[in-house]
Amino acid sequence: MIAFYNPEGVGDILLITLEPFEKQNVRIEKKGDVVRIFDEKTRKTVGYNIFQASRHFSLKAERGRAAVDGEMIDAVNRLLRENGFEEISADLSPKFVVGLVKEKKKHPNADKLSVCQVDVGGEVLQIVCGAPNVEAGQKVVVAKVGAVMPSGMVIKEAELRGVKSMGMICSARELELPNAPQEKGILVLDDAYRVGEPFEFPGQ
């Protein structure tokens, strides 16, 4: 679940995305202040727009991204129940974590890409990376599927030149860290960081 709230740019509307969708393939259903967005063919709910959001929630937003926590999920579900919609659930686990590059191999179909196996604590993710400085043994910042980058880009499961990628290894510039170098390359962390722990940064 990803939530956006930008009253100056969009109005007093909470935008909730449950999964990626193409605008031309969806329809809407409105009850009260709630608009359900669903796939036209499968009827599966892919998101909600909640109007007059400030009347229903106490919202905290940074650069348009609303903080999603248990309190928000409870408030959203209460409003959905009141309007006859199904409740939602959300993965509240950290989306930016410390990873350890266990293996790096050359991409079979692209000279400038590497296929990395990255331990993020409890699971190993395959991530295609284009940074020239990525190497096995490094501790890095991983944006997992569902993470929202400071630029607003949402990290999705992808296939790059025929190879599945389940996240992104981040640079300091992509994380908009202070004094981030402008040259291309991932952020390499020191040994003080623990694999799997959340990586906190300004503007998250």
Side-chain angles (χ1 to χ4, degrees):
M1 172 180 165
I2 302 167
F4 294 93
Y5 182 66
N6 183 357
E8 290 79 21
V10 180
D12 190 16
I13 308 169
L14 179 65
L15 309 175
I16 297 173
T17 300
L18 301 177
E19 58 181 70
F21 62 88
E22 300 292 336
K23 289 184 178 180
Q24 65 269 25
N25 296 330
V26 298
R27 293 292 181 268
I28 64 170
E29 176 186 9
K30 188 176 189 301
K31 295 180 183 179
D33 289 334
V34 181
V35 173
R36 171 183 171 242
I37 305 167
F38 61 93
D39 185 278
E40 183 180 19
K41 292 183 179 179
T42 66
R43 310 294 294 182
K44 185 175 183 180
T45 302
V46 295
Y48 287 99
N49 292 345
I50 298 176
F51 290 79
Q52 302 187 74
S54 61
R55 291 181 50 191
H56 302 289
F57 313 107
S58 176
L59 292 166
K60 298 171 286 183
E62 180 72 29
R63 299 183 183 181
R65 289 173 290 153
V68 177
D69 54 21
E71 183 178 343
M72 172 185 267
I73 297 298
D74 289 344
V76 168
N77 280 333
R78 182 168 57 251
L79 187 61
L80 293 179
R81 287 195 304 270
E82 290 173 356
N83 286 277
F85 290 114
E86 291 185 5
E87 295 186 18
I88 61 175
S89 59
D91 177 8
L92 299 179
S93 64
K95 294 298 181 289
F96 293 90
V97 299
V98 177
L100 174 66
V101 182
K102 303 286 287 183
E103 180 184 278
K104 169 197 168 184
K105 289 185 177 180
K106 184 179 177 299
H107 192 293
N109 303 313
D111 291 338
K112 294 185 178 181
L113 296 178
S114 301
V115 182
C116 302
Q117 304 298 324
V118 187
D119 181 0
V120 293
E123 64 177 329
V124 175
L125 302 178
Q126 178 170 284
I127 299 176
V128 177
C129 180
N133 64 326
V134 65
E135 296 293 345
Q138 292 171 336
K139 287 184 178 179
V140 296
V141 180
V142 174
K144 300 173 71 174
V145 171
V148 181
M149 301 299 293
S151 66
M153 179 179 72
V154 179
I155 301 301
K156 303 175 183 177
E157 180 180 337
E159 189 169 296
L160 302 176
R161 297 286 187 91
V163 175
K164 183 177 289 188
S165 184
M166 298 297 295
M168 185 172 79
I169 302 175
C170 303
S171 69
R173 183 173 60 176
E174 289 165 334
L175 297 171
E176 296 187 5
L177 298 182
N179 303 313
Q182 295 305 300
E183 61 269 18
K184 191 173 183 180
I186 58 166
L187 174 64
V188 179
L189 303 173
D190 60 39
D191 288 337
Y193 289 88
R194 295 174 53 191
V195 174
E197 70 180 4
F199 184 81
E200 306 289 346
F201 58 94
Q204 189 178 358

